[in-house]
């Protein structure tokens, strides 16, 4: 398992009964987590006095209950000198997936090493780019980034994160677009990228009602994106929060599509966050990493 253990201002304090207790800067949140199927004693007093608690509804969805929590606040990721604006919004989210820091650390090293060797910036495409965590990490390492997400609000949020991270003038191109259609246009335009990051949703709908289901669509998307990889591709990263996509599945898909064209190697595994209460690790999804190095 790859563990995001370099955070100073984020922490999973405890887990129990389908929920996790987290520290986001100086605020404590309780949020549901489907991986937490155990029920252990809730000894940390913040379980009883959080600043925010997302209650899951038996009918689906849920709602926030707040106790002395600001509408928004920020936390730094000091290891890479990044800052992220946070706010609780629908579907229990805060605008940041802290476990992804372990992937930021991985590809930041690859980008810096490649650029030191070639003297030119790595060109990165970030699909389903959300609020820009991976975009900012790549840009901080010196890459030029094309950031694509279908949500105008998420793209705006990413720009704000870039601003407070000192990356307002970084070579980042922000696009509100359907990721599949954007890639299809890039193929026709003959554009290529040295690295690709994909964080596709488990399920979603496009602007015209198009249905996206990751199990049905991700392999064809990998095949599509492989057509815009440069001849000297550096890395390809896929993240999945769908329990049905095991690490071996990501490995197989990437190995059969990317390795025949570019060689390299694929590694896939769970990513996770350390839990302070007991020293265990909370599983937080799966990542597949292809590297040409």
């Amino acid at each position: 398992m790859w563990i995001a253990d370099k955070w100073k201002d984020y922490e999973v304090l405890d887990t129990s009964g389908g929920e996790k207790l987290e520290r986001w800067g100086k605020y404590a949140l309780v949020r549901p987590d489907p991986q937490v199927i155990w029920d252990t004693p809730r000894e940390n007093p913040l379980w009883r006095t959080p600043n925010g608690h997302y209650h899951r509804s038996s009918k689906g969805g849920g709602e926030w209950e707040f106790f002395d929590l600001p509408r928004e606040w920020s936390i730094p990721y000091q290891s890479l000198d990044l800052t992220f604006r946070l706010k609780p919004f629908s579907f229990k989210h805060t605008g940041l997936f802290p476990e992804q820091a372990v992937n930021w650390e991985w590809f930041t090293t690859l980008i810096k090493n490649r650029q030191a060797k070639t003297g030119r910036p790595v060109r990165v495409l970030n699909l389903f780019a959300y609020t820009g965590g991976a975009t900012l990490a790549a840009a901080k390492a010196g890459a030029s980034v094309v950031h694509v997400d279908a949500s105008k609000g998420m793209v705006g949020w990413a720009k704000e994160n870039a601003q407070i991270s000192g990356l307002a003038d970084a070579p980042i191109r922000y696009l509100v677009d359907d990721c599949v259609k954007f890639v299809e246009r890039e193929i026709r335009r003959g554009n290529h990228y040295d690295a690709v990051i994909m964080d596709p949703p488990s399920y979603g709908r496009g602007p015209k009602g198009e249905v996206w289901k990751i199990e049905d669509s991700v392999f064809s998307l990998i095949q599509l994106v492989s057509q815009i990889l440069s001849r000297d591709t550096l890395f390809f990263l896929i993240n999945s929060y769908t329990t049905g996509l095991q690490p071996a599945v990501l490995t197989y898909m990437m190995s059969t599509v990317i390795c025949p064209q570019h060689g390299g190697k694929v590694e896939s595994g769970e990513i996770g966050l350390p839990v302070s209460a007991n020293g265990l690790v909370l599983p937080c999804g799966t990542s597949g990493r292809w590297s040409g190095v």
Side-chain angles (χ1 to χ4, degrees), residues 3-10 75-84 98 101-106 108-109 112 136-137 140-141:
I3 303 172
D5 57 3
K6 293 187 177 183
W7 283 98
K8 306 293 186 186
D9 292 85
Y10 170 83
I75 63 170
Y77 182 61
Q78 297 173 350
S79 177
L80 298 180
D81 191 25
L82 301 174
T83 302
F84 300 98
V102 71
N103 284 324
W104 307 340
E105 296 281 353
W106 171 72
T108 289
T109 300
K112 288 181 176 179
L136 302 191
K140 183 69 77 170

Side-chain angles (χ1 to χ4, degrees), residues 77-254:
Y77 182 61
Q78 297 173 350
S79 177
L80 298 180
D81 191 25
L82 301 174
T83 302
F84 300 98
R85 184 173 68 88
L86 306 172
K87 65 176 180 179
F89 68 110
S90 59
F91 306 112
K92 76 179 181 179
H93 297 307
T94 63
L96 179 66
F97 292 95
E99 64 273 10
Q100 285 299 324
V102 71
N103 284 324
W104 307 340
E105 296 281 353
W106 171 72
F107 66 66
T108 289
T109 300
L110 293 177
I111 290 170
K112 288 181 176 179
N113 290 344
R114 168 64 67 84
Q115 290 174 167
K117 181 179 179 180
T118 66
R120 65 176 183 85
V122 172
R123 193 173 187 217
V124 176
L125 173 62
N126 188 8
L127 299 173
F128 310 96
Y130 196 52
T131 59
T135 292
L136 302 191
K140 183 69 77 170
S144 65
V145 187
V146 176
H147 173 111
V148 186
D149 196 279
S151 168
K152 184 178 180 180
M154 294 300 105
V155 172
W157 195 332
K159 292 179 180 179
E160 293 176 12
N161 283 336
Q163 178 76 37
I164 62 177
S165 293
L167 293 167
D169 297 323
I172 303 172
R173 182 186 177 199
Y174 300 94
L175 296 171
V176 179
D177 205 344
D178 178 89
C179 290
V180 173
K181 292 180 179 178
F182 172 77
V183 173
E184 290 172 341
R185 289 197 299 274
E186 289 293 84
I187 293 171
R188 293 194 293 269
R189 288 188 283 243
N191 290 331
H192 293 87
Y193 296 87
D194 303 311
V196 173
I197 301 164
M198 299 195 327
D199 200 350
S202 298
Y203 180 85
R205 289 187 179 274
K208 296 184 179 179
E210 307 95 328
V211 175
W212 165 274
K213 190 175 181 182
I214 191 168
E215 296 93 331
D216 298 335
S217 305
V218 68
F219 184 66
S220 61
L221 179 58
I222 295 170
Q223 291 177 310
L224 194 69
V225 173
S226 70
Q227 298 179 57
I228 58 173
L229 297 178
S230 66
R231 284 181 292 181
D232 196 22
T233 302
L234 179 59
F235 71 86
F236 197 125
L237 171 66
I238 303 175
N239 296 306
S240 171
Y241 290 89
T242 302
T243 56
L245 288 183
Q246 300 299 322
V249 176
L250 291 179
T251 295
Y252 191 84
M253 290 191 294
M254 300 176 79

